[in-house]
Amino acid sequence: MQLVVMAGGTGSRLWPISRSNFPKQFINLVTEHSMLQDTLLRVDGLKTDAPYIICNESTRFLVADELQNINVTDSNIILEPVGRNTAPAIALAAFDAISKGQDPILLVLAADHVIKDQDEFIRIISSAESAASKGKLVTFGVVPNAPETGYGYIKTGQQESDYFNIEAFVEKPDLDKATSYLASGDYLWNSGMFMFKASTYLNELKLNSPDIYASCEIAIQQATTDMDFIRISKELFEQCPDDSIDYAVMEKTENAVVIPLDAKWSDVGSWASLSDISDKDEYNNVHQGDVISVDTQNTYVYSPDRLTATIGLQDLIIVDSKDALLVAHKNNSQDVKKVVKQLKQENRSEYSTHREVHRPWGKYDSIDNGERYQVKRITVKPGAKLSVQMHHHRAEHWIVVSGTAKVTNGDKTFILSENESTYIPVGVVHALENPGKLPLELIEVQSGAYLGEDDIVRFEDNYGRVAK
């Protein structure tokens, strides 16, 4: 069995914590681990080969860090240059496995699901292996516990051993239909999790969606390896049709079956759904972070960075980040995506990035800015080095807060310790490295006419970011 984790989503309904360049699968929303890490740890009880992670170009180093932090040292990270939905993403992994002379059973999971009953999950996954090995395309249908209108449904047909034949896939229903589905007992939520042999999936894809098959086949044939990543040609992949596995294969094949799953599953598709699965106090409130509530009921508050106090509230969602605050009624939590759409249309940075930005060498937090200046708190991992670079429009002043910095400033290279500093004029080539065993913390003060991140000319880079 080989795990395929789809980690390319944006999680827009969990804004402002989830953003396009740092989506929900990389955030510790439910446990001490990120949702991607939980997805990988969840299958610890299964014997699996090196997992495939399908992700965006922009999040590749986040994925690598997430795997490293839970000691997953052997993996296949496939970079999608553009999003083309789940059918092509899974095909890339299947083609890559076949190209290595293998034909594994692929367990396809999303990186942003919550499953609280791990033992039951492992039991159901294990029971599906027999059907998958015999050429069935297995999907897992969640046993519904409410008339949910935010999920698609699967209508079960005749039962065969451990699985059901599929009578129909049903789009997201209105409340009346969802209520009738729940009452009938014949419908399951469509979870978006699958299991099948790599060759079975590709054969069905070739039969039912030959354009996707052909595009992904040539994309893998001409893929290149870049550090730890499998890089797909943008020019080739842009030609691939955009389609989900449901539309491209599962609704067309005669070999699709469904196995019921009752393992306390949630796709955490909104703040309200996250509130539903979280532990609550005696007033049905959920507090994440530093929160004081007075005369408040059935309210979710997320405030990891500063104190948030509520008085006399009911049925609300309050989410506080370093640069944005969301206040919404629980009944309207799905409409957060409308805010995200407006942010994108207005080209606002709050759509894509946080104030704190992660880089392969560490992170920086833009703690203050104004006309012709910006102040950042920079954290460099032990042994990491920023690119050798220069700026056309800004000068920089570095002050070490803790740790040790190895600095290149023009034709000089030297060591800075705590409370020591250096000034880098406009146009001077420079670099920053952490030669120590502890994180390096420093304050960077930028000044100049233009302070955008695109005013960086890289000459050398350990992470392959030098323009070719």
Side-chain angles (χ1 to χ4, degrees):
M1 190 185 298
Q2 196 157 15
L3 187 64
V4 178
V5 180
M6 295 178 289
T10 59
S12 61
R13 289 173 293 180
L14 288 180
W15 184 89
I17 303 304
S18 178
R19 305 192 188 183
S20 63
N21 288 341
F22 198 81
K24 64 177 179 177
Q25 54 266 31
F26 302 110
I27 303 171
N28 303 9
L29 282 173
V30 181
T31 72
E32 62 182 6
H33 295 108
S34 71
M35 301 182 83
L36 171 59
Q37 291 173 334
D38 276 338
T39 302
L40 294 161
L41 294 171
R42 193 173 293 137
V43 298
D44 264 359
L46 298 172
K47 184 178 180 181
T48 60
D49 289 332
Y52 281 96
I53 314 294
I54 319 294
C55 69
N56 304 326
E57 170 85 17
S58 63
T59 59
R60 66 194 187 279
F61 293 114
L62 288 174
V63 170
D65 278 350
E66 293 287 287
L67 301 186
Q68 183 180 13
N69 289 339
I70 56 170
N71 298 316
V72 177
T73 57
D74 189 13
S75 62
N76 307 279
I77 303 175
I78 298 179
L79 306 182
E80 287 185 301
V82 291
R84 284 297 180 262
N85 218 313
T86 53
I90 298 166
L92 293 175
F95 271 120
D96 190 72
I98 295 291
S99 73
K100 296 174 180 175
Q102 305 167 357
D103 187 13
I105 291 176
L106 302 179
L107 172 59
V108 180
L109 303 177
D112 55 1
H113 290 178
V114 172
I115 296 175
K116 291 196 169 183
D117 190 341
Q118 185 169 328
D119 291 340
E120 177 64 8
F121 174 74
I122 294 297
R123 186 187 73 80
I124 293 297
I125 293 300
S126 300
S127 73
E129 201 166 352
S130 174
S133 66
K134 295 174 183 176
K136 296 297 184 182
L137 290 92
V138 180
T139 186
F140 300 93
V142 175
V143 178
N145 56 18
E148 177 61 58
T149 60
Y151 301 143
Y153 284 71
I154 299 171
K155 185 176 183 181
T156 58
Q158 183 177 346
Q159 185 171 4
E160 304 281 350
S161 183
D162 292 331
Y163 60 81
F164 290 84
N165 293 319
I166 296 175
E167 186 169 321
F169 287 84
V170 182
E171 296 291 336
K172 297 176 182 178
D174 59 28
L175 182 59
D176 289 341
K177 283 186 178 180
T179 302
S180 68
Y181 292 166
L182 182 65
S184 74
D186 296 330
Y187 290 82
L188 303 168
W189 290 337
N190 189 349
S191 71
M193 298 185 289
F194 307 91
M195 184 189 289
F196 35 64
K197 290 178 68 175
S199 59
T200 300
Y201 177 69
L202 292 178
N203 290 338
E204 291 290 344
L205 186 67
K206 185 176 184 179
L207 177 65
N208 294 295
S209 299
D211 290 349
I212 295 178
Y213 178 95
S215 293
C216 293
E217 181 179 35
I218 191 171
I220 283 294
Q221 288 173 352
Q222 299 191 25
T224 58
T225 301
D226 176 11
M227 300 176 64
D228 297 327
F229 309 113
I230 300 170
R231 190 178 291 278
I232 305 300
S233 165
K234 182 177 181 181
E235 181 179 353
L236 290 175
F237 204 58
E238 281 180 332
Q239 300 172 23
C240 183
D242 183 327
D243 214 348
S244 70
I245 182 177
D246 287 341
Y247 290 132
V249 175
M250 299 299 288
E251 294 186 10
K252 299 175 181 177
T253 180
E254 296 179 357
N255 292 314
V257 299
V258 62
I259 295 180
L261 174 69
D262 193 1
K264 298 179 181 178
W265 170 92
S266 172
D267 74 343
V268 195
S270 68
W271 287 111
S273 64
L274 180 59
S275 177
D276 288 342
I277 65 170
S278 301
D279 294 334
K280 301 176 179 63
D281 66 12
E282 58 184 316
Y283 302 105
N284 209 36
N285 296 316
V286 178
H287 293 166
Q288 299 284 343
D290 192 2
V291 182
I292 295 176
S293 288
V294 176
D295 296 330
T296 297
Q297 298 180 0
N298 195 35
T299 292
Y300 179 95
V301 184
Y302 182 95
S303 182
D305 298 308
R306 58 183 169 183
L307 171 64
T308 295
T310 67
I311 303 173
L313 302 182
Q314 186 170 343
D315 302 332
L316 294 186
I317 300 289
I318 300 171
V319 181
D320 187 33
S321 72
K322 290 181 178 179
D323 62 349
L325 171 67
L326 170 71
V327 181
H329 194 280
K330 278 192 173 182
N331 292 344
N332 299 100
S333 64
Q334 296 284 347
D335 292 333
V336 173
K337 60 186 177 182
K338 295 179 181 178
V339 174
V340 175
K341 182 179 180 180
Q342 185 171 335
L343 291 171
K344 185 177 182 181
Q345 290 172 342
E346 296 176 2
N347 198 30
R348 294 188 56 150
S349 62
E350 293 92 340
Y351 161 73
S352 58
T353 57
H354 287 274
R355 200 185 79 177
E356 185 174 271
V357 177
H358 290 256
R359 289 287 186 257
W361 44 260
K363 61 184 179 180
Y364 68 82
D365 186 357
S366 297
I367 57 179
D368 193 16
N369 63 82
E371 187 175 354
R372 296 184 62 89
Y373 80 91
Q374 181 171 214
V375 182
K376 292 182 177 180
R377 184 182 183 96
I378 294 177
T379 304
V380 185
K381 301 173 186 174
K385 181 180 180 180
L386 282 67
S387 59
V388 179
Q389 59 184 254
M390 60 87 71
H391 311 294
H392 289 295
H393 303 287
R394 73 174 184 246
E396 295 177 344
H397 189 183
W398 295 346
I399 307 100
V400 175
V401 176
S402 64
T404 302
K406 183 178 180 181
V407 174
T408 297
N409 189 347
D411 58 0
K412 297 179 180 179
T413 298
F414 48 91
I415 297 294
L416 292 180
S417 299
E418 185 173 327
N419 290 327
E420 295 181 331
S421 65
T422 189
Y423 171 72
I424 302 160
V426 174
V428 172
V429 175
H430 57 280
L432 175 65
E433 182 177 355
N434 180 359
K437 298 184 181 299
L438 298 173
L440 165 64
E441 301 275 351
L442 61 85
I443 299 297
E444 176 183 271
V445 181
Q446 302 176 356
S447 59
Y450 180 73
L451 306 175
E453 285 299 304
D454 53 350
D455 181 25
I456 300 176
V457 180
R458 292 187 174 95
F459 301 100
E460 299 174 25
D461 185 64
N462 291 344
Y463 311 102
R465 297 175 298 166
V466 176
K468 299 178 181 179

